[in-house]
Amino acid sequence: MSESSIFFSADHLANQFLIAMPGMVDPNFAGSLIYLFEHTERGAMGLVVNRPTEVDLETLFDKIELKLEIAPLLKQPVYFGGPVQIERGFVLHESDSLSPYSSSLIIPGGLTMTTSKDVLEAVAAGKGPQHFLMTLGYAGWGAGQLEEEITLNGWMNVPLAREQMIEIIFNTPSSQRYEKAVSHLGFDLSHLSGEAGHA
């Protein structure tokens, strides 16, 4: 083992928010709030939860040949989850042991991320998760990449209670989610420099 190996718990940032810092220049992520659902020594994956697209659920369900007739859901936006696999759907929802879907990742102490169509079939039938966020694409980082970006002031991670995360993701208008997550930091982000310690 080399001395430079980083030892950490495999899920040490999973089930946390990542807040893009004011100096974030990548247009995919500037001003974004990400729910991190996986973080291991191989890398990290998360979903941007505050960037609705022009596509609504009605349009998406039509495309995958599912009939969605639940009025409040029809105009609910599909979100930009990140720049990786933007043709693929990811559903972030509250964990529900009653209806296990065929391809779900249950985040310990947090939410569930499902990629199988059966969750959407359940939604169309009125039996799906009560609260969910549908995204196309996800945000991904290779081994050590996210840690480096945090060190360079690209992101700040925010661990919150499950209830606080649910409140922000599902009960707060998308335009206010970033600010609401920032408010839990206890200080004003605008006072932080976007500059890293070195060029």
Side-chain angles (χ1 to χ4, degrees):
M1 276 290 193
S2 76
E3 288 178 28
S4 63
S5 294
I6 300 171
F7 295 95
F8 55 81
S9 147
D11 58 355
H12 75 303
L13 292 181
N15 194 36
Q16 294 189 23
F17 280 132
L18 282 182
I19 294 174
M21 297 298 279
M24 174 64 72
V25 290
D26 184 335
N28 284 315
F29 296 121
S32 67
L33 177 66
I34 293 178
Y35 176 75
L36 210 59
F37 59 80
E38 187 169 87
H39 188 203
T40 70
E41 64 281 354
R42 294 185 307 280
M45 294 172 71
L47 297 174
V48 178
V49 297
N50 66 332
R51 303 236 337 240
T53 68
E54 302 293 312
V55 179
D56 59 24
L57 287 179
E58 182 177 25
T59 307
L60 181 96
F61 274 66
D62 281 349
K63 271 197 179 129
I64 58 173
E65 296 176 2
L66 276 179
K67 190 80 181 133
L68 181 64
E69 295 177 332
I70 302 162
L73 295 180
L74 294 174
K75 298 304 171 199
Q76 189 170 307
V78 173
Y79 285 73
F80 167 78
V84 185
Q85 293 189 357
I86 55 169
E87 70 294 334
R88 191 164 171 212
F90 298 82
V91 180
L92 189 62
H93 57 94
E94 291 183 71
S95 301
D96 179 6
S97 55
L98 299 176
S99 26
Y101 304 109
S102 61
S103 184
S104 289
L105 174 67
I106 298 167
I107 297 94
L111 303 173
T112 297
M113 192 279 300
T114 298
T115 55
S116 47
K117 188 177 177 182
D118 52 0
V119 69
L120 299 180
E121 290 165 349
V123 165
K127 299 177 183 148
Q130 187 180 355
H131 299 294
F132 69 94
L133 186 99
M134 172 87 209
T135 79
L136 290 173
Y138 71 91
W141 293 266
Q145 187 184 356
L146 179 59
E147 292 85 340
E148 183 181 355
E149 290 180 15
I150 289 173
T151 304
L152 296 173
N153 296 331
W155 301 99
M156 180 165 284
N157 59 303
V158 189
L160 293 176
R162 185 171 177 273
E163 293 69 32
Q164 292 171 309
M165 293 198 153
I166 287 170
E167 177 62 30
I168 291 172
I169 295 172
F170 302 122
N171 301 328
T172 303
S174 58
S175 60
Q176 295 167 26
R177 288 175 195 162
Y178 181 90
E179 287 73 18
K180 190 140 186 190
V182 167
S183 73
H184 288 285
L185 290 173
F187 59 86
D188 188 345
L189 260 192
S190 65
H191 293 160
L192 289 180
S193 164
E195 301 292 311
H198 52 279

